[in-house]
Amino acid sequence: MPILPIVTYNDPVLKRKADPVSFDNKELQKLIQDMFDTMYNSGGVGLAAPQIGKSIRLFVMDADAMTEELDEEQDLGPMVFINPVILSKEGEKSRVEEGCLSIPELRDDVSRPDRVTIRYFDQTFQEQTRVFDGWVSRVIQHEYDHLEGVLFIDYLSAFRRTFHKAALKRIETGQIETSYPVVPKN
Ligand code: NI
């Protein structure tokens, strides 16, 4: 079960709008499995394909542990989102601290709507349309953003970005230590 190295800020693949997934084959199933392994190894709850250097519209999520902790009434084990489309975002906006495996050691508050309706293909290529609330909705919006070339830091104010400038520079130049493998900077 290979653990894939994670691409970090500011690799161009993280800024690209990802391409649709156009295949349903063994290779895709293997990639999905590797993404889960990589996500679990790094302690993340979600991982998008661009984060392992593949610019395709695919992300995985396993929010089970976290929803138990938050006492939310959603049973959300491993889930795969292929070619997802966000149909609507609704509800109150809330500000919650986020982090990202591609932006190690940096966390900040991001404001997002509380509810998302998303259409996608699951791991067996069945089309699904589901509504997610609360914290899980936030994870989905964060991962979906990766497919659009958007990072959570893109939502921060100029002031907050300046605040994080040194930390971002360290990531850019590879001067960070992570508990999981990352793609080396040259
Ligand atoms: Ni992320």
Side-chain angles (χ1 to χ4, degrees):
M1 298 287 165
I3 307 292
L4 306 169
I6 290 179
V7 168
T8 56
Y9 178 84
N10 60 357
D11 191 298
V13 74
L14 296 176
K15 297 304 293 175
R16 267 197 68 185
K17 190 175 157 83
D19 297 323
V21 177
S22 59
F23 48 96
D24 173 15
N25 56 25
K26 266 193 178 155
E27 201 185 321
L28 180 68
Q29 296 301 327
K30 174 157 187 344
L31 176 67
I32 289 169
Q33 196 50 56
D34 290 349
M35 284 176 65
F36 273 118
D37 293 338
T38 301
M39 182 184 80
Y40 292 129
N41 178 65
S42 58
V45 290
L47 184 71
Q51 293 183 276
I52 46 102
K54 297 233 183 286
S55 193
I56 55 172
R57 304 187 76 79
L58 160 69
F59 66 84
V60 299
M61 178 180 86
D62 186 343
D64 232 10
M66 195 58 94
T67 46
E68 261 169 45
E69 205 173 288
L70 295 170
D71 212 22
E72 286 188 10
E73 294 286 314
Q74 301 190 75
D75 180 22
L76 297 162
M79 294 183 71
V80 177
F81 297 79
I82 298 166
N83 292 342
V85 177
I86 289 187
L87 300 177
S88 67
K89 295 182 189 180
E90 308 158 90
E92 298 260 309
K93 281 195 165 185
S94 51
R95 291 184 71 79
V96 174
E97 193 182 69
E98 293 187 20
C100 179
L101 295 172
S102 294
I103 315 173
E105 294 172 10
L106 197 154
R107 304 187 67 82
D108 210 330
D109 290 351
V110 178
S111 176
R112 296 189 193 268
D114 277 334
R115 168 172 289 188
V116 68
T117 305
I118 187 167
R119 189 178 65 210
Y120 60 97
F121 294 88
D122 65 19
Q123 189 163 3
T124 60
F125 262 73
Q126 299 301 302
E127 192 178 81
Q128 309 280 349
T129 300
R130 286 187 67 175
V131 179
F132 295 94
D133 293 300
W135 186 81
V136 176
S137 143
R138 172 173 297 273
V139 176
I140 287 171
Q141 291 174 61
H142 176 118
E143 299 310 328
Y144 184 85
D145 276 350
H146 276 299
L147 310 185
E148 294 292 302
V150 173
L151 300 172
F152 83 87
I153 53 171
D154 295 333
Y155 294 106
L156 302 182
S157 65
F159 174 76
R160 294 302 295 170
R161 283 183 75 100
T162 304
F163 175 82
H164 291 302
K165 207 171 166 188
L168 287 171
K169 194 78 199 166
R170 280 197 299 277
I171 302 170
E172 255 182 79
T173 53
Q175 294 172 327
I176 41 157
E177 278 186 37
T178 49
S179 60
Y180 49 87
V182 296
V183 174
K185 302 287 187 183
N186 40 2

